[in-house]
Amino acid sequence: MNKMGTIIGFTFKNKARTKSFLITTLIMVLLLSIGMNIPYFIQVFKGEDGGAQSSGVHIAVIAENGSPAAQLLQAYTKQPGLDATVTPYPAADAAGLKQALSDGKVDGYLTFTEQSGAGLGSVVFHSTDDSAKAKSFLQAALQQVNAQLIAGDRLTPQQIAAMNAPVQLGTEKISADGVAAQVKSHPLINYVIVYILLILFFMSIMMTGNMIAAEVTSEKSSRIMEILITSASPLAQMFGKVIGIFLVGLLQIAIIAAAIAANLMLPHNSGILQDFNLDLGQLSVSLLLYGIVLYILGYFMFALMYAAVGSIVSRTEDLGQAAMPVMMLGFVNFYVPLFSISTPNTLLIKVTSFIPFTSPLSMLLRIGVGDVAAWEIILSLLLLLVTIFGLGWLAAKIYRTGVLMYGKRPSIKELRKAMKAYKI
């Protein structure tokens, strides 16, 4: 056990200091940070550093004094919780308007044509850029202004707002006999977390798995294995490398999670979650706990397969071809739930959530955004555990036999014959 602890510590320190790990982690953190700050960078490049105006919508209106449309539009912006302002100007070439547009204090200005009847005529929004936020605000505001102009004093603003409010259409799932079935709804934050975890876990498992295979193969091809095997048993070496690189994967995930948290805490990103209607208070703690468990089990399953593959390859040049079947399993494990994130209750996802080689990420998808019973989670985890113990036994026999077999890659028949000499 002491020797295994030494191997774990050596493997962790050695791999955590490699240039490939440091550069890969740095690139991922940089790309993540750039992606989360793209809106802010666009504002900076346009000269909108945030000091000129607040994050709300600011519209100018070209209208004469006493214009009913302009007054109703200004009254609409005074509703509680609405971060918008409307400022009237006498003409489009007014000096104040030109200065406001130059300083970025307004998103654009509206011009009204003459009314041909009741309600608004045609309205044109003039802006220097295509602001989706401003147009969304104007569409809702002008619709209510138009209704108020048509209704006059016959309807109150509250009645007009209720009339313009979209109808909420609910859905109810029923069984074949017409009995209503309960459908569990999942908050939007769960979809985001599941999507991030799928990508993060896939990348971590595949990268660390390849690390294990490459480490074993390089030691074998350089004949260092012959020296190492005299100081520690093959089993201690295999499980020491697997656990050591597992800690490297956890370190990488922790760094990426810290980078996400740091970017969310930046002042200009403080409202990014609200902009996408994401509420961290709705996040399910059980989803994160199940995610950690499934990541650990999925890692050890693939890591043992990669260790076995690395032990039967004598040259690093042959590693890619030998590891291809394991890589294909990893791709299936990732792409099936990724392309089914909007339909997590299909028969395909239900089946793959019980197949050990695809269950880590498929079951994560079902737990996060699908309908899954407790017994299904328990059964999937038990099948995964049994598979890991079986693969551990098989990988230990293959590793113990393969690390001292040189030359061409041994066939299955040769491996079986050599494995019979060892009992584990």
Side-chain angles (χ1 to χ4, degrees):
M1 191 69 182
N2 291 335
K3 292 181 179 179
M4 185 184 293
T6 303
I7 295 172
I8 292 172
F10 174 79
T11 304
F12 173 76
K13 292 177 183 178
N14 186 39
K15 288 300 177 182
R17 294 173 181 173
T18 57
K19 291 182 179 179
S20 59
F21 172 79
L22 296 174
I23 292 174
T24 302
T25 306
L26 180 61
I27 290 175
M28 292 175 67
V29 170
L30 285 176
L31 291 176
L32 185 66
S33 300
I34 292 172
M36 294 182 68
N37 291 279
I38 282 178
Y40 175 70
F41 292 150
I42 293 175
Q43 289 183 353
V44 170
F45 290 142
K46 288 183 177 181
E48 303 171 3
D49 59 356
Q53 67 178 50
S54 66
S55 58
V57 176
H58 305 273
I59 305 297
V61 178
I62 308 303
E64 299 177 355
N65 291 333
S67 169
Q71 291 177 350
L72 289 173
L73 196 58
Q74 283 183 293
Y76 177 83
T77 61
K78 295 178 181 179
Q79 298 180 53
L82 193 62
D83 187 10
T85 60
V86 171
T87 307
Y89 287 90
D93 57 353
L97 177 58
K98 289 184 177 180
Q99 187 64 38
L101 287 170
S102 177
D103 295 341
K105 293 182 179 180
V106 295
D107 298 304
Y109 63 91
L110 289 176
T111 55
F112 300 100
T113 60
E114 292 185 5
Q115 298 175 221
S116 56
L120 285 172
S122 62
V123 185
V124 181
F125 178 54
H126 309 265
S127 64
T128 55
D129 59 350
D130 189 13
S131 176
K133 188 175 181 180
K135 290 196 295 185
S136 176
F137 160 76
L138 287 173
Q139 188 172 10
L142 292 173
Q143 184 178 358
Q144 185 159 338
V145 168
N146 187 50
Q148 286 181 289
L149 289 174
I150 296 173
D153 298 332
R154 293 186 294 273
L155 296 175
T156 64
Q158 290 76 16
Q159 291 174 324
I160 293 174
M163 184 176 62
N164 292 328
V167 177
Q168 299 296 326
L169 179 63
T171 58
E172 184 181 65
K173 186 177 180 181
I174 61 173
S175 59
D177 56 0
V179 179
Q182 290 185 350
V183 179
K184 183 181 179 181
S185 60
H186 300 276
L188 182 60
I189 188 68
N190 276 22
Y191 287 87
V192 176
I193 294 298
V194 167
Y195 189 79
I196 293 174
L197 291 181
L198 288 177
I199 297 175
L200 197 58
F201 288 178
F202 168 74
M203 294 181 63
S204 177
I205 289 173
M206 298 301 289
M207 287 174 59
T208 52
N210 279 287
M211 277 186 189
I212 294 171
E215 176 80 4
V216 175
T217 304
S218 63
E219 289 178 356
K220 185 178 175 182
S221 61
S222 62
R223 300 280 179 161
I224 297 176
M225 185 63 69
E226 297 177 0
I227 301 174
L228 294 175
I229 211 164
T230 60
S231 58
S233 67
L235 294 183
Q237 290 186 46
M238 184 186 76
F239 287 107
K241 294 180 190 301
V242 168
I243 297 173
I245 295 181
F246 167 70
L247 297 177
V248 174
L250 284 183
L251 174 63
Q252 190 174 54
I253 291 177
I255 292 173
I256 294 173
I260 294 175
N263 279 282
L264 288 176
M265 292 174 65
L266 293 175
H268 56 269
N269 285 337
S270 58
I272 191 171
L273 294 178
Q274 288 79 5
D275 292 341
F276 291 98
N277 296 321
L278 299 176
D279 183 8
L280 289 178
Q282 297 178 336
L283 178 61
S284 173
V285 178
S286 61
L287 171 60
L288 297 179
L289 294 177
Y290 279 122
I292 294 172
V293 172
L294 289 168
Y295 167 73
I296 294 173
L297 296 178
Y299 166 81
F300 278 100
M301 180 178 64
F302 279 94
L304 291 170
M305 290 191 287
Y306 273 108
V309 168
S311 67
I312 63 176
V313 178
S314 299
R315 299 185 307 168
T316 54
E317 294 83 1
D318 301 329
L319 181 59
Q321 183 179 0
M324 184 59 67
V326 183
M327 293 179 65
M328 294 304 296
L329 283 175
F331 287 132
V332 173
N333 180 37
F334 172 64
Y335 283 113
V336 169
L338 182 69
F339 291 129
S340 304
I341 196 167
S342 59
T343 54
N345 297 314
T346 59
L347 180 61
L348 175 63
I349 292 297
K350 290 180 179 179
V351 171
T352 54
S353 65
F354 293 106
I355 300 175
F357 299 106
T358 56
S359 63
L361 298 187
S362 293
M363 184 52 73
L364 175 64
L365 175 65
R366 292 188 65 192
I367 293 172
V369 297
D371 299 326
V372 58
W375 69 265
E376 292 179 300
I377 300 175
I378 295 172
L379 178 59
S380 178
L381 293 177
L382 286 176
L383 291 173
L384 190 53
L385 280 172
V386 171
T387 303
I388 291 172
F389 280 112
L391 283 174
W393 175 83
L394 182 62
K397 299 203 74 169
I398 295 175
Y399 189 93
R400 188 170 185 174
T401 303
V403 289
L404 294 179
M405 297 181 70
Y406 293 91
K408 68 180 183 67
R409 195 167 68 219
S411 63
I412 297 177
K413 184 178 180 180
E414 292 171 337
L415 273 176
R416 287 181 60 188
K417 184 178 179 181
M419 286 165 59
K420 288 180 180 179
Y422 298 102
K423 293 182 179 181
I424 298 177

